[in-house]
């Protein structure tokens, strides 16, 4: 009986030692296997927007990494909420607009007095500032909006923020317009169809389905943002970048001539303390995915993958920077 008890004790002790050994290193520890894998909450936007399907498309790509246990794609209030979630440790990765990121790292706007440390993995598509005017309104430039009826987007929206900045760069304020309406895309289009508005601002990807709808029923022209106006805008607000809506592209309004304007780049961000090896691998997989035929979301199809590390308003995470330097595509 005593021998049996001793044998049982030794067997149990051996199993305990083996279990501890497997948990503290061995095959799962140093090779990036499941023992080191991290769960990632990916902050996107509303389920009806573009950010959310992008998150869904990238989820399986990122989950192929040995460094990733799983990716949870989270619907959020978009850029501001995503940055706050990064700051609070609730998200490990998020999609944001560059103008919001600029305010966050500089403690301005909605982040007044609250600088947030964030780093970038990569740039994405641009939200393009599109100013559309009725053909008979005699609006050919931003300056021509003076004395006109203009839709500037909902109060506090990204559309309105861009409208104010563009008008400011042209030396105009709301007081210089005969009418200002704070309407969403669909309502702005309806008012233009009714003749209640001469022009409206849209800040979105290209094409914007509401603009396409308007063009099918009404003759319009795009008002360009270029030359001195664009230079002044980009100098004061460095998150703006030049953008050209091409001519003859049926997927982009099928215009007779190209339109020069500006856009605000979207980007993927992560906290600066996220593992360098993890971020390196995520960046690599994102870059490689953009080079395949498997890209399903239209906004990602627009990207030149060799440009995604350039012109970012936020510093690259060291892991992302290392990968891009190896590819020779940093600025």
């Amino acid at each position: 009986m005593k021998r049996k008890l001793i044998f049982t004790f030794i067997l149990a002790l051996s199993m305990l030692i083996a279990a501890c050994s497997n948990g503290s290193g061995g095959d799962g520890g140093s090779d990036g296997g499941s023992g080191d894998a991290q769960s990632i909450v990916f902050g996107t936007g509303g389920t009806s927007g573009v950010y959310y399907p992008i998150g869904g498309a990238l989820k399986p790509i990122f989950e192929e990494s040995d460094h990733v246990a799983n990716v949870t794609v989270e619907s959020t209030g978009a850029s501001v909420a995503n940055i706050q979630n990064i700051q609070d440790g609730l998200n490990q990765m998020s999609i944001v607009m560059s103008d919001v990121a600029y305010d966050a790292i500089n403690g301005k706007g909605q982040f007044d007095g609250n600088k947030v440390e964030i780093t970038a993995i990569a740039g994405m598509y641009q939200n393009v500032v599109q100013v559309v005017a009725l053909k008979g309104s005699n609006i050919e430039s931003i300056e021509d909006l003076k004395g006109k009826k203009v839709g500037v987007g909902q109060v506090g929206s990204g559309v309105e923020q861009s409208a104010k900045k563009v008008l400011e760069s042209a030396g105009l304020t709301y007081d210089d317009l005969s009418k200002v309406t704070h309407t969403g895309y669909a309502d702005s289009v309806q008012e233009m169809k009714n003749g209640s508005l001469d022009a409206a601002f849209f800040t979105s990807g290209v094409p914007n389905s509401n603009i396409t709808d308007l063009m099918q029923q009404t003759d319009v022209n795009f008002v360009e943002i270029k030359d001195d106006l664009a230079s002044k805008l980009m100098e004061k607000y460095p998150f703006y970048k030049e953008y050209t809506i091409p001519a003859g592209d049926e997927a982009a309004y099928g215009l007779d001539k190209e339109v020069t304007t500006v856009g605000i780049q979207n980007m993927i961000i992560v906290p600066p303390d996220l593992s360098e090896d993890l971020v390196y691998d995520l960046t690599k997989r994102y870059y490689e995915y953009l080079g395949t035929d498997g890209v399903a979301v239209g906004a990602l199809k627009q990207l030149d993958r060799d440009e995604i590390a350039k012109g970012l308003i936020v510093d690259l995470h060291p892991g992302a920077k290392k990968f891009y330097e190896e590819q020779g595509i940093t600025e």
Side-chain angles (χ1 to χ4, degrees), residues 6-328:
I6 293 172
F7 176 79
T8 303
F9 175 77
I10 293 173
L11 179 61
L13 183 61
S14 298
M15 292 174 65
L16 179 61
I17 292 171
C20 292
S21 176
N22 287 338
S24 62
D27 292 339
S30 60
D31 64 355
S34 59
D36 289 328
Q38 178 170 347
S39 295
I40 292 176
V41 179
F42 191 175
T44 58
T47 54
S48 62
V50 180
Y51 285 6
Y52 190 73
I54 288 177
L58 294 179
K59 170 182 166 71
I61 305 304
F62 292 149
E63 286 182 334
E64 291 176 359
S65 171
D66 289 337
H67 297 280
V68 176
N70 60 76
V71 175
T72 300
V73 178
E74 184 177 71
S75 174
T76 70
S79 297
V80 173
N82 287 343
I83 290 176
Q84 290 173 336
N85 287 345
I86 288 278
Q87 184 181 36
D88 295 339
L90 301 176
N91 291 172
Q92 289 70 48
M93 181 164 53
S94 294
I95 305 174
V96 300
M97 285 181 63
S98 291
D99 56 344
V100 179
Y102 178 81
D103 283 347
I105 62 176
N106 288 287
K108 295 183 175 182
Q110 297 180 75
F111 297 91
D112 186 23
N114 178 33
K115 289 185 179 181
V116 182
E117 292 188 12
I118 53 176
T119 54
I121 282 187
M124 303 184 81
Y125 70 99
Q126 290 193 51
N127 281 1
V128 182
V129 181
Q130 300 162 76
V131 186
V132 181
L134 296 177
K135 201 74 169 180
S137 63
N138 296 318
I139 300 173
E140 300 294 334
S141 68
I142 297 298
E143 289 80 3
D144 291 338
L145 292 175
K146 185 174 183 178
K148 302 294 184 180
K149 298 169 289 185
V150 184
V152 297
Q154 295 175 327
V155 174
S157 67
V159 181
E160 190 194 23
Q161 295 304 311
S162 285
K164 284 182 174 180
K165 291 177 174 65
V166 171
L167 290 169
E168 173 195 45
S169 297
L172 302 175
T173 68
Y174 286 170
D175 291 339
D176 295 306
L177 311 180
S178 65
K179 175 184 177 181
V180 175
T181 62
H182 292 90
T183 46
Y185 296 151
D187 289 337
S188 291
V189 164
Q190 191 57 50
E191 288 201 45
M192 290 182 73
K193 289 179 182 179
N194 297 338
S196 301
L197 287 180
D198 299 307
F201 282 80
F202 303 79
T203 302
S204 70
V206 172
N208 180 300
S209 60
N210 295 277
I211 296 176
T212 301
D213 173 50
L214 178 64
M215 294 174 70
Q216 290 172 347
Q217 300 185 42
T218 310
D219 290 332
V220 301
N221 62 277
F222 283 79
V223 183
E224 294 189 299
I225 301 172
K226 61 181 182 178
D227 301 331
D228 289 345
L229 175 61
S231 297
K232 188 182 298 183
L233 182 67
M234 291 186 288
E235 182 178 355
K236 185 168 184 178
Y237 304 105
F239 45 80
Y240 283 107
K241 300 176 72 171
E242 292 180 348
Y243 189 93
T244 300
I245 304 174
D249 185 348
E250 292 302 321
Y253 308 122
L255 301 175
D256 292 333
K257 62 177 184 177
E258 67 179 28
V259 173
T260 302
T261 183
V262 295
I264 303 170
Q265 190 173 34
N266 295 281
M267 65 176 73
I268 302 175
I269 63 167
V270 294
D273 60 354
L274 200 61
S275 160
E276 183 172 330
D277 289 341
L278 169 60
V279 175
Y280 176 94
D281 200 35
L282 293 175
T283 306
K284 178 176 182 291
R285 291 177 186 280
Y286 177 60
Y287 178 83
E288 291 177 347
Y289 170 68
L290 293 178
T292 70
D293 295 329
V295 180
V297 181
L300 296 182
K301 290 182 179 180
Q302 303 173 18
L303 300 179
D304 178 348
R305 66 178 185 163
D306 289 334
E307 296 295 317
I308 60 176
K310 299 176 181 178
L312 300 178
I313 206 71
V314 175
D315 289 339
L316 285 167
H317 186 283
K321 185 177 182 181
K322 178 181 177 182
F323 173 77
Y324 293 130
E325 286 176 344
E326 290 177 358
Q327 303 305 308

